[in-house]
Amino acid sequence: KKPSRNMPSESQEGSYQDGAGGMLFVSTINRTAKSYGIAIVGGEYITGKLPIGTHSWNKFLSPAEVNNLVGDFGLGEVNKQGMILRPPFYDMSWYLDDRDFDVNWIGAYSHAATAENRPAY
């Protein structure tokens, strides 16, 4: 099978062929209005923490899109966490949240997570 989005094809092929025991971790930015405001406007233009043009909003992926992509290779979600930037943003202090995936988030996927226990979106 060929990947349908901008995820590394080597990782997908490796996990597809491996069959068991491996984990795939995906860390990305969700494609939401909030992520555009925080990552692009805030990170690139307001704070200047990132060079302008660092992010491409069209390439951000939602948890549901990643679940669909990895599901094509027999992987299911084990866990996901939102990665929240703590104000006042200038110190780049982060924490994990199990309900807020609006901006940055990380997911863990494996063959052991079957379709029966995979979250629905």
Side-chain angles (χ1 to χ4, degrees):
K1 294 184 178 184
K2 299 282 185 200
S4 59
R5 286 281 306 216
N6 296 317
M7 292 184 63
S9 61
E10 296 84 14
S11 296
Q12 287 182 328
E13 286 182 23
S15 65
Y16 181 73
Q17 294 169 359
D18 181 26
M23 295 280 293
L24 172 68
F25 294 89
V26 176
S27 175
T28 189
I29 303 175
N30 202 346
R31 193 175 48 259
T32 62
K34 183 176 173 182
S35 72
Y36 184 87
I38 291 175
I40 296 176
V41 176
E44 296 180 22
Y45 292 90
I46 294 174
T47 66
K49 287 284 188 183
L50 302 165
I52 293 173
T54 296
H55 297 105
S56 177
W57 189 77
N58 292 327
K59 292 183 180 179
F60 294 175
L61 294 170
S62 72
E65 289 171 314
V66 171
N67 270 343
N68 288 335
L69 287 169
V70 301
D72 289 344
F73 294 90
L75 298 171
E77 182 182 292
V78 174
N79 192 3
K80 77 173 176 296
Q81 295 282 308
M83 298 166 49
I84 313 300
L85 187 56
R86 230 184 276 274
F89 310 128
Y90 289 102
D91 64 358
M92 300 302 285
S93 174
W94 297 84
Y95 69 94
L96 297 176
D97 187 292
D98 61 0
R99 294 171 301 206
D100 185 352
F101 315 105
D102 293 346
V103 185
N104 296 67
W105 66 277
I106 186 167
Y109 306 87
S110 78
H111 285 280
T114 63
E116 291 83 37
N117 64 17
R118 192 179 321 163
Y121 293 96

